[in-house]
Amino acid sequence: MATGARGPKTIVIGGGVGGLILAQGLHAAGLPVEVHERDASPRTRTQGYRLRVSPDGERAMRECLPPRVIELLLATSNQRHGEGLLAFDEQLAPQWAPAFDDPRGSGPDKIDAVDRVTLRRVLLAGLDDVVRFGRKLTEVVETTGGVTARFSDGSSATGDVLVAADGANSAVRTQLCPHEQPADLGVRTVFARLPMTAVHQAGLPAQLRGEFSYVIGSDGHHLGLMPMVFREAPPAAAARLWPGLDLPPGEDYYMAVLNVHRDELGLSDDEFFAMDGRALARFATSRMSAWHPALRGLFALGDAADTFAVSLRASVPVVPWGTERVVALGDAAHTMPPSGGVGANSAAWDAALLTGLLRQVADGDISLADAFDRYRTGVTEHATAAVGLSLKIAQWSIRKIDIAMPAAEPGKNSANSAPAPLH
């Protein structure tokens, strides 16, 4: 095997959460790694807002990220430590909600939620020579001596290992395993970022201000409302801990998520996904017109540029894919709905596992083939539990999804690697 300075050279396709955590872990270990991201820059695309960090996700980050990056991540994380979640009907009558087991408690060093845009910038810290932007993958070519990624700008990158960390619409998976595509849950979602000051001035009730809240409408619509309060403004944290690092302003906000089944849309998918942020906000407002007055106008408070639509999908069953030199990570390996933030935490878990195994390969303790076998086995087991959990939360809150719930394996319990199963 042709190797770099201290082990196999890894080419990572995709600069999202999982790909960057992997890059940080390998880079910190002195292993050669390159990340190739299709976005022109870190500011090109909004990839969501508030992200819950599970015990397993935080553990994985701490295993891979250098102490200085962890310190910056903690400083810019959510300062509130609400336990579990609250649920209401559309008139704000309290409803039953599932319990979540978090063994971390509410200690001062707990990272329980982060802003996703800030997280990405923090994960890029120290990787200037590792990450290449503007690299849209066109082809993966594998030989006996290595694997090469070719990009639309005419450039290429060759290494010993290629990791597909390029999301639910993975270009690597489409080329190598075109039939392994996630299933459509039939749920269409409007995401919005709502300034906290404006939301409070508009009269959001106190019981919705401090916790992760669900509103489950009898009309089949579902609203998630999640507060993001920065411990420290990201630019101030960067000035203190990493001078010169460019972080976004960090205004406190609520992430608002409205879920509607496609049968209830009243329009085609083409029409729905063609709507801009302003039209999506009007759509959400119209769907909540009979709800409690404090909820009706929420989506009108957001910036149109911060409002976008997605469809929810899931990999059921989780099927490992790849080749002798290619493995998948995160949504490229196991797509799941964003329920409970399970997906991003699973990507972090994948990254920590792969980092440790590639370190063992570099040290000569195991072969690359053994490392990939162990990785695929571990990821498949862990992701199967995670997908099941995310679907269980989705089924509870959204009620109607176009996919059969996966059967639990005897003796398997995801409580140690994700929020406790619903009961």
Side-chain angles (χ1 to χ4, degrees):
M1 176 188 299
T3 62
R6 209 201 133 230
K9 179 179 179 181
T10 301
I11 303 298
V12 181
I13 306 300
V17 172
L20 292 178
I21 292 175
L22 175 65
Q24 286 280 6
L26 296 178
H27 187 60
L31 302 184
V33 58
E34 293 179 6
V35 178
H36 297 267
E37 165 59 47
R38 66 179 180 175
D39 289 351
S41 79
R43 302 166 191 81
T44 300
R45 179 167 44 111
T46 298
Q47 295 181 304
Y49 300 120
R50 184 189 187 273
L51 175 65
R52 178 184 177 274
V53 178
S54 71
D56 225 30
E58 180 177 357
R59 187 181 308 113
M61 291 181 190
R62 290 186 180 276
E63 288 177 6
C64 292
L65 305 182
R68 191 180 179 197
V69 176
I70 286 291
E71 188 177 8
L72 186 59
L73 182 60
L74 176 62
T76 57
S77 67
N78 185 46
Q79 77 172 16
R80 300 188 181 187
H81 301 293
E83 299 298 330
L85 56 86
L86 301 176
F88 306 88
D89 69 11
E90 68 269 34
Q91 300 305 326
L92 296 184
Q95 305 292 303
W96 175 87
F100 286 77
D101 178 27
D102 191 337
R104 296 172 296 178
S106 57
D109 293 332
K110 172 183 175 181
I111 302 173
D112 76 331
V114 293
D115 172 59
R116 192 159 189 150
V117 175
T118 302
L119 171 64
R120 193 185 194 196
R121 303 271 193 93
V122 168
L123 292 177
L124 285 165
L127 297 181
D128 291 347
D129 296 331
V130 171
V131 182
R132 280 79 163 163
F133 285 94
R135 298 288 179 88
K136 182 180 179 180
L137 184 76
T138 58
E139 186 180 19
V140 174
V141 180
E142 189 172 355
T143 68
T144 56
V147 58
T148 297
R150 294 174 179 164
F151 306 101
S152 60
D153 63 0
S155 64
S156 65
T158 299
D160 303 294
V161 173
L162 185 142
V163 179
D166 51 344
N169 298 315
S170 171
V172 181
R173 185 184 60 218
T174 297
Q175 178 189 327
L176 300 182
C177 303
H179 302 299
E180 296 294 340
Q181 300 297 332
D184 189 344
L185 272 63
V187 179
R188 305 298 178 250
T189 300
V190 179
F191 279 88
R193 178 184 179 121
L194 311 178
M196 185 167 287
T197 299
V199 170
H200 290 176
Q201 289 175 347
L204 185 73
Q207 66 263 39
L208 298 178
R209 294 190 178 194
E211 303 289 342
F212 190 134
S213 302
Y214 279 113
V215 179
I216 303 172
S218 59
D219 53 8
H221 295 32
H222 156 261
L223 172 72
L225 198 62
M226 293 134 266
M228 178 66 205
V229 180
F230 292 89
R231 292 176 187 254
E232 186 176 351
R240 180 171 61 85
L241 299 170
W242 205 302
L245 185 66
D246 179 26
L247 293 185
E251 178 186 15
D252 297 340
Y253 66 89
Y254 287 92
M255 181 174 78
V257 183
L258 182 70
N259 294 306
V260 182
H261 192 275
R262 59 184 167 190
D263 291 347
E264 313 295 336
L265 278 179
L267 65 164
S268 69
D269 272 354
D270 288 343
E271 292 172 311
F272 178 69
F273 289 110
M275 288 194 287
D276 62 13
R278 188 171 289 103
L280 288 168
R282 290 196 299 268
F283 170 85
T285 300
S286 70
R287 294 309 175 98
M288 297 162 62
S289 61
W291 286 22
H292 189 283
L295 302 174
R296 296 173 191 168
L298 283 176
F299 280 83
L301 301 174
D303 190 318
D306 294 332
T307 305
F308 61 97
V310 300
S311 60
L312 303 191
R313 293 178 288 166
S315 300
V316 178
V318 176
V319 178
W321 63 269
T323 69
E324 291 182 0
R325 293 186 178 273
V326 178
V327 290
L329 178 153
D331 276 350
H334 42 71
T335 303
M336 62 191 80
S339 318
V342 179
N345 288 289
S346 295
W349 190 95
D350 296 352
L353 176 62
L354 188 54
T355 295
L357 289 169
L358 289 176
R359 286 176 177 174
Q360 291 184 56
V361 173
D363 291 340
D365 296 333
I366 58 174
S367 68
L368 181 61
D370 286 342
F372 276 12
D373 283 345
R374 296 183 192 183
Y375 175 76
R376 291 189 179 107
T377 298
V379 165
T380 300
E381 180 177 324
H382 183 271
T384 295
V387 170
L389 177 62
S390 68
L391 288 175
K392 201 167 188 178
I393 298 173
Q395 188 179 56
W396 162 72
S397 58
I398 303 172
R399 302 288 170 85
K400 184 177 182 180
I401 57 176
D402 294 349
I403 193 169
M405 289 291 294
E409 294 183 53
K412 298 295 183 185
N413 191 325
S414 61
N416 292 326
S417 57
L422 305 182
H423 53 73

